[in-house]
Every structure is written in structure tokens, then in C-alpha cells.
Amino acid sequence: MSLSGRLFSILLLCVQFIPPALASDEQRFADFGTCRLSSGTSLKDCKIGYRTYGKLNEAKSNAILIPTWYGGSSQEHAYLADSQYINPDHFFIIIVDAIGNGVSVSPSNSQSQPLGQFPTFTITDMVSVQHRLLTEKLGITSLHAIVGLSMGAMQSLQWAVQYPGFATRYASIIGSPKLAAFDIINWSTRIKLMAWHLECQCQTPLEVMAAMRMLGQTPASLTETFDGLDVEAEIAKRAKSTQLPTGQTWNKIRQAQAMLAYNITEQFDNDLAKAANAINEKLLIIVSKGDRVVSPGPATALARLTDATLLELDKGCGHADPWCDAETFSNALQEFLAE
């Protein structure tokens, strides 16, 4: 996937165990029939997509899980299964399509619960079905690491408190243990705009969403990018080129709702210090100082309450800093995985 494609994806926001035969980048699916959600609702046709890279060693000690970011697919994350980031010659890498991403069971592809009939789900539900994939389908009962970016980082931190000790280390990159007020306002507004678009099928909500995506950049980056341009015309142009089919819109709404409900401190009396005390494994937290998609404050606070390795990127790209400063990101991740 190209750098521009990865930036776009990020900002739209950034079988029983079968050994060697699974070591490929082929799109695979695990069918769980019906999955019980944390709300008590049943999710029918619960099929989860995933891809694997590398080979699981005899001790089953080299597996790394990568959950997907908001709207992202396992295919879009395949660039991470590379010697620059996570070397498939050393690790068995499992990239899992999150519920609602259009590959795993989603509003856009569910036959029994399509579109708005698709139940709301949580980050906890995403993690629960990933745990079932590992233990019930792949025969994996522990992980070397869980590595996630953006919404994937939220899943990584949720793993840390939901299944403590399952992995020896967790990497949260441009993620958060809970949404800050800025993020709640941001994503609540996006959901309302998407609902408006579903209702009116008109251009105005697309223009507002295009403008909000532009506001995901830092002020300096916006000035550099759009200085001298007709900004209103650029907004209209971007909105006109936006393809947002009904099914995809519902996918985005449901995943955004999952992020809004996400909070790893909920089971700890909403106390971040208590949640931090429950995480005893190694922790890498990478934030962008200028992030306007996922505010860095809560993740930075979590890092300071733990023995986490904290890396604060400041390349002026906001949520896309891990791509603008790929070398620093890569070095920190590889060092963390090798500890």
C-alpha cells in the first residue's frame, strides 16, 4: 500500500491450529457462527478475517497480533509484516480485521443483520473475538506482542486489561486508553454527519466531513498545504470525490460508536492509575504531539503511570507522524520487540 493510501486511511480518522500452511498473506476467515456481544446481543454470521505472515515456531512463542485501525483492513496493514517493522523471518504475524471493517462481519456484508440492523459493538467485543480466533482456531495461548495503531492501539490496550498476561508486551501507537473530550466531540460530530448523509444523500455533510478531515492536520501543515489555494473550492472538490456507499457508511458509524464507548478504566472505577497498576507487561506508547485525531494526553498520562517506554513524535504531521517519521517509529518498535 502506498504512503498516501496509508495516510488517507489513518486520517479518516491517522480450524484448529494449522501450522506451516497458514504462513501466507492470503485472506482467511474464521467462522464462529453467532458471537455474544458484551451488551448481551447476538452477532449473527460472525465471521472474522485475518492474514498471517512468517512461521510459528515450535514453542509457539513468536506470535504477534496486529489489530486493524478505523476502517482499515488486514491487507492495508500488510506493510508492517516487513523487516523494516516486524520481521516475518523472526515472528509469526497475525493481522486481524476488526469487526465492522467491511471484511470481517459488518453492516455492509451481513446477510441477517444488514446496515442499521447491525448491532452496536465495542472494542471489548473486537478483542473477545480475536482471543477466540487465537485460542480456538489457531491454537495460540500466548503472544510475544500485540501491536496496534490508532483504533488498533485501543485494541492493544484493551487486550492488556481484558486478558492480562496473554502477551508479554503491548505497543500502542497513536492510540489512547480512553478518548479525550476533544476526540469525543470530534467523533460524535462525524457520526452525526454520516447519519445526515444517509438520510439526505446530499453534498453538504460530505463537505463538512471533508473539512473535518483537513482539520485533522496541524495548523502549520494546513497553512503549508493550502496557502494560496481557494480553500472552499478545495473542500467542495474533496467532498465531490468522496465515495461513501450506504454499507461503508454504516461500517464507519458502528466502528466510531465502538471508539466512543471505549475506556479501559471503566472496570477500574474510571481511575487511570488503577488501570495502569493492572498492566504488568512491557508497554510501548508512541504518540504524536500534534495529533488532532486521537489526542495524545491520555496515552501520555498512562505511560507516566507505568514503566512504559514513551516516544513523542513531533514531525508536524499530526496523526500521520509514524509515517512522516518512519525511521524513528521503526527503530523504536524493533527495539521494543527485541527486548
Side-chain angles (χ1 to χ4, degrees):
M1 182 184 182
S2 68
L3 174 61
S4 61
R6 292 201 296 271
L7 291 176
F8 180 75
S9 295
I10 277 290
L11 289 171
L12 283 178
L13 99 311
C14 166
V15 320
Q16 295 295 318
F17 169 59
I18 306 176
L22 270 180
S24 73
D25 63 356
E26 176 185 350
Q27 179 71 65
R28 296 178 179 273
F29 291 92
D31 192 343
F32 295 99
T34 297
C35 291
R36 179 68 66 176
L37 301 178
S38 55
S39 63
T41 306
S42 293
L43 179 58
K44 301 174 184 177
D45 307 321
C46 188
K47 188 177 291 187
I48 301 300
Y50 66 100
R51 296 170 189 264
T52 66
Y53 301 82
K55 184 177 179 180
L56 188 65
N57 62 20
E58 188 175 349
K60 300 183 182 180
S61 61
N62 67 332
I64 293 178
L65 176 71
I66 302 175
T68 51
W69 57 59
Y70 176 69
S73 68
S74 56
Q75 184 176 26
E76 291 172 319
H77 287 67
Y79 78 97
L80 289 168
D82 181 85
S83 58
Q84 182 182 359
Y85 294 103
I86 306 174
N87 195 336
D89 291 338
H90 301 151
F91 297 108
F92 180 60
I93 305 158
I94 308 137
I95 308 177
V96 182
D97 292 284
I99 298 172
N101 77 335
V103 178
S104 289
V105 61
S106 305
S108 64
N109 60 26
S110 174
Q111 297 299 310
S112 55
Q113 296 167 301
L115 306 179
Q117 298 175 42
F118 199 88
T120 56
F121 54 87
T122 64
I123 300 293
T124 298
D125 295 320
M126 295 177 186
V127 168
S128 294
V129 77
Q130 291 162 17
H131 182 266
R132 291 188 63 187
L133 170 66
L134 294 173
T135 58
E136 297 178 21
K137 303 297 184 180
L138 301 182
I140 294 173
T141 57
S142 64
L143 291 166
H144 179 72
I146 300 174
V147 177
L149 293 93
S150 196
M151 190 185 78
M154 298 177 195
Q155 293 166 75
S156 179
L157 293 176
Q158 181 62 39
W159 263 97
V161 297
Q162 190 170 336
Y163 297 103
F166 196 95
T168 64
R169 65 205 70 205
Y170 303 89
S172 167
I173 301 134
I174 51 172
S176 182
K178 62 178 182 178
L179 295 193
F182 179 90
D183 305 336
I184 293 171
I185 294 168
N186 181 9
W187 288 102
S188 296
T189 303
R190 288 172 185 251
I191 290 170
K192 289 180 173 64
L193 289 168
M194 288 187 282
W196 181 15
H197 175 63
L198 285 173
E199 182 180 348
C200 74
Q201 290 297 305
C202 56
Q203 197 71 0
T204 303
L206 294 179
E207 291 183 358
V208 180
M209 284 188 278
M212 289 188 67
R213 286 195 295 273
M214 292 163 69
L215 288 172
Q217 297 178 240
T218 62
S221 175
L222 279 171
T223 300
E224 182 180 345
T225 304
F226 299 108
D227 188 34
L229 297 179
D230 184 336
V231 176
E232 289 191 7
E234 182 66 22
I235 291 171
K237 176 184 175 182
R238 292 186 177 209
K240 192 172 182 179
S241 66
T242 299
Q243 300 294 320
L244 200 56
T246 299
Q248 184 183 353
T249 304
W250 276 110
N251 291 348
K252 290 181 175 296
I253 287 174
R254 288 292 186 255
Q255 284 201 336
Q257 288 170 330
M259 287 193 289
L260 277 178
Y262 164 75
N263 179 2
I264 71 164
T265 74
E266 188 173 16
Q267 68 188 77
F268 302 99
D269 302 320
N270 289 309
D271 187 328
L272 186 60
K274 290 182 180 178
N277 287 336
I279 301 174
N280 298 310
E281 294 73 35
K282 293 179 180 178
L283 190 60
L284 171 66
I285 292 179
I286 299 178
V287 300
S288 165
K289 287 185 176 181
D291 200 330
R292 297 162 68 89
V293 177
V294 179
S295 298
T300 303
L302 177 64
R304 289 171 177 160
L305 287 167
T306 63
D307 291 328
T309 299
L310 174 64
L311 173 62
E312 296 176 288
L313 301 177
D314 194 13
K315 276 290 185 177
C317 298
H319 201 57
D321 262 349
W323 291 270
C324 292
D325 197 359
E327 184 176 359
T328 301
F329 164 43
S330 170
N331 289 341
L333 180 60
Q334 290 193 335
E335 182 178 335
F336 177 70
L337 295 176
E339 288 178 356

